[in-house]
Amino acid sequence: MLNRRMLLNSGLATAGVGLTGAALVPLLTARDANADATATGAAPAPAPELFRVPLPVPPVLSPVSTAGGVDVYRMTMRRAVREILPGMSTEVLTFNSSFPGPVIRARSGRPVIVHQRNLLDVPTSVHLHGASTSQHNDGKPMETIAPRDTRTYLYPNRQPHASLWYHDHAHHLESENVYRGLSGTYLLTDTIERRLPLPTGVHDLPIAIRDAHFDDAGQLVYTMGDRARQTLLANGVPYPYLQVAARKYRFRLLNSANVRSLKLRLADGSPIVHIGSDGGLLPRPNPTESVFLSPGERADVVIDFSRYPVGTQLVLQNTTGAGPADLIGQVLRFDVTHTAYDPSEIPAELRTLPPLPKPTAERTITLSMDEGGTGTTPPQGYIDGKVYAPDRIDSFIRYGASEVWTVTNLNKNIPHNLHLHLVQFRVLERNGHSPDAAESGLKDTVMLLPGETIKLQATFDTFRGAYLYHCHILDHSAMGMMATMKIT
Ligand code: C2O
Ligand code: CU
Ligand code: CU
């Protein structure tokens, strides 16, 4: 087992070995409807029955110590076996045997320490996505935890509330490790957020959505650019139901898929109130028919089920991406089972964002990937025309600078997104227009459809050091779409 896995992983190190021109097509048309899974020769996944299991909510992790105003946690990365498809055992990679990982709840101003023990047979590196940490606590690709080792991460939480997530970031392995289960939610709150009368407690639930490809033995299949990841999982299970009261609920939606973007809507087209993005609450609530999430992005939403009579069943649908509608077109079902008193409210003003400082520097960034059949050459991904090299610094940034980045996706058919470590940024423009309400808040990951250009502004006034920026379509970052900025 160990040898086979080591072999598989070393194969990955050469980025895309074994991919043929035909197998690449799925990446190029990832947003097409009705992709043909059999084109890749994939065995069909056993179709799970819809809405048969309840939505699991990952456990909130308890600290082992809170002494001195620091919450200390222990996590162990280990293999586990889960019944994901009915009657089948699937091997997954977990934090604390939980798939996805346990939830950490943290508060601004109160540091968190996580001791991460790696009982897997692959190196890992744990990154807290969206967090401002010192560089050696950022889960750098080369600063890995060897099998049987432990590493301690310090998260100062000197930033406002935000729905963050943690995931593996080991060089060339992160895409497969995350796919096999190494991700979890980290909810950072602060007094600004806590004084709002938003739904809390059991009415505030994280929902991580991703896709997966199972072979006919129920095992997760990982190949880069796989078009046959067509089973959607919500908190690790396919097509669950959630019993809700006829009242408001807050959902912390996360797209934890490697490649697939999601466009989520309620089956009846009624409004979802979008209240937050990657970096916390939006200035104002944004009632919308659909919420778009590219891989790595989060959306904080409130759904008011009081408009439905008890007995209503309402499917949360996905309306974008390749795959058969019965598999990728629905995520979960809300079952309104009872009435309830609801003291929660959505205030008309949620937060005031800090004013944007005057920019001190400008920079252009291009994203691209080999497009079209490249024959025998494995495809590569580029930022500014370069494939990732761990010891090269691609951008030098002056400490304290507030930079405007003009970012362009040069591809004609391939979507990309851009994630910056260390900072939460603002989207200033999308294709020359101001962004819509969904992008009015703080972001750490931004989608770029083929040919699109965005402008973002980020201020680098927290830590000095070397940090990553990359496409968060993890199959792409594993193909080289990653770069390093150094704040000096
Ligand atoms: Cu979500 Cu570089 O990470
Ligand atoms: Cu990140
Ligand atoms: Cu990409």
Side-chain angles (χ1 to χ4, degrees), residues 278-325:
D278 304 334
L281 293 167
L282 301 176
R284 274 168 297 283
N286 168 39
T288 177
E289 198 195 307
S290 63
V291 174
F292 183 88
L293 288 175
S294 70
E297 286 185 293
R298 287 86 69 208
D300 201 336
V301 302
V302 173
I303 299 177
D304 189 354
F305 297 102
S306 71
R307 63 190 170 220
Y308 303 110
V310 166
T312 302
Q313 297 183 325
L314 190 69
V315 171
L316 182 69
Q317 299 176 329
N318 168 44
T319 62
T320 195

Side-chain angles (χ1 to χ4, degrees), residues 367-369 411 414-417 471-473 475-477 481:
L367 309 173
S368 59
M369 207 173 97
N411 279 113
I414 313 174
H416 297 295
N417 65 16
C471 179
H472 214 289
I473 295 177
D475 291 21
H476 296 182
S477 47
M481 286 192 77

Side-chain angles (χ1 to χ4, degrees), residues 162-282:
S163 304
L164 309 178
W165 65 302
Y166 58 92
H167 63 78
D168 178 61
H169 221 307
H171 191 38
H172 281 312
L173 302 177
E174 77 275 43
S175 182
E176 179 167 6
N177 284 349
V178 171
Y179 176 79
R180 296 195 181 280
L182 290 185
S183 71
T185 287
Y186 183 109
L187 300 176
L188 178 61
T189 189
D190 62 9
T191 50
I192 291 172
E193 181 190 38
R194 281 190 308 143
R195 69 175 157 69
L196 299 177
L198 295 166
T200 56
V202 297
H203 306 112
D204 173 11
L205 302 175
I207 305 181
I209 305 167
R210 55 162 295 177
D211 57 4
H213 171 191
F214 297 92
D215 65 17
D216 47 16
Q219 296 310 311
L220 285 168
V221 176
Y222 179 83
T223 44
M224 278 211 268
D226 186 359
R227 189 177 208 160
R229 294 176 195 156
Q230 293 180 337
T231 301
L232 294 188
L233 306 179
N235 289 347
V237 307
Y239 316 105
Y241 65 85
L242 176 67
Q243 294 190 338
V244 293
R247 55 156 287 159
K248 290 187 277 309
Y249 282 73
R250 178 178 183 183
F251 299 112
R252 317 289 189 113
L253 304 174
L254 158 68
N255 181 346
S256 57
N258 287 44
V259 177
R260 180 181 294 280
S261 287
L262 300 164
K263 191 174 179 185
L264 304 170
R265 75 188 289 274
L266 294 169
D268 67 348
S270 63
I272 295 174
V273 185
H274 188 194
I275 60 165
S277 56
D278 304 334
L281 293 167
L282 301 176

Side-chain angles (χ1 to χ4, degrees), residues 127 129-130 165 167-169 296 419 421 445 468 470 472 474 482:
H127 169 59
H129 177 129
W165 65 302
H167 63 78
D168 178 61
H169 221 307
H419 167 52
H421 284 216
T445 307
L468 294 173
H470 58 90
H472 214 289
L474 291 179
M482 193 149 75

